[in-house]
């Protein structure tokens, strides 16, 4: 299991990504609007991992509510797993609570699932299946 990406919530994803591109020289990997998740996503590559900038499409979305409550900054961390259903079963077996007991499709078109932050020291943790 390796760290796939960190998710950063901001009012302006492009502005945050442009700052990280300028400061750290990270190339653009993906820019996409995901209406069913209510976000615009801008992803930068950093070796095997990514920085994922998230901008809410409206205040009444998960990321919009996060920004209103906690302000901009680190939103979640994501681990890559080879088999997401096996990883979910393993975590549930260890007592972790899942937001997604069934995987859904993320912005990059890969299966994803989130854990309840109450199970993970208050940090929102995402899994992505990456072979
Ligand atoms: Zn993510």
């Amino acid at each position: 299991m390796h760290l796939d990406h960190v998710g950063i919530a901001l009012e302006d994803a492009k502005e945050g990504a442009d700052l990280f591109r300028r400061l750290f020289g990270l190339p653009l990997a993906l820019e996409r609007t995901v209406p069913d998740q209510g976000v615009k996503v801008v992803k930068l590559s950093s070796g095997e991992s990514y920085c994922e900038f998230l901008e809410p499409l409206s205040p009444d979305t998960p990321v919009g509510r996060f920004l209103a409550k906690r302000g901009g900054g680190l939103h979640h961390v994501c681990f890559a797993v080879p088999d997401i259903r096996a990883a979910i079963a393993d975590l549930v077996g260890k007592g972790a609570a899942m937001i997604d007991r069934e995987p859904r499709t993320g912005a990059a078109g890969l299966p994803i699932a989130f854990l309840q932050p109450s199970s993970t020291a208050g940090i929102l943790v995402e899994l992505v299946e990456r072979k």
Side-chain angles (χ1 to χ4, degrees):
M1 195 177 288
H2 78 270
L3 187 67
D4 185 82
H5 65 267
V6 294
I8 299 160
L10 292 173
E11 293 291 349
D12 187 331
K14 190 88 180 89
E15 191 178 291
D18 284 347
L19 176 66
F20 271 51
R21 289 177 76 178
R22 186 169 63 78
L23 290 177
F24 306 115
L26 305 179
L28 182 68
L30 176 128
E31 190 169 348
R32 184 168 297 166
T33 298
V34 190
D36 65 318
Q37 290 174 36
V39 286
K40 177 181 167 185
V41 179
V42 182
K43 254 176 152 171
L44 305 181
S45 290
S46 172
E48 296 268 294
S49 305
Y50 301 91
C51 289
E52 178 181 85
F53 294 85
L54 303 166
E55 174 183 324
L57 297 180
S58 78
D60 187 29
T61 58
V63 174
R65 286 189 288 273
F66 176 91
L67 280 178
K69 202 166 140 190
R70 302 174 72 162
L74 182 66
H75 180 262
H76 65 276
V77 300
C78 177
F79 294 109
V81 296
D83 179 339
I84 197 164
R85 288 180 188 280
I88 291 169
D90 178 59
L91 288 161
V92 169
K94 291 171 178 167
M98 302 297 303
I99 293 173
D100 304 299
R101 288 291 292 258
E102 285 294 316
R104 54 193 167 98
T105 303
L110 297 169
I112 63 165
F114 283 92
L115 284 85
Q116 290 283 359
S118 58
S119 289
T120 45
I123 304 289
L124 182 61
V125 176
E126 177 185 11
L127 305 174
V128 62
E129 184 172 281
R130 207 179 273 284
K131 309 268 184 209

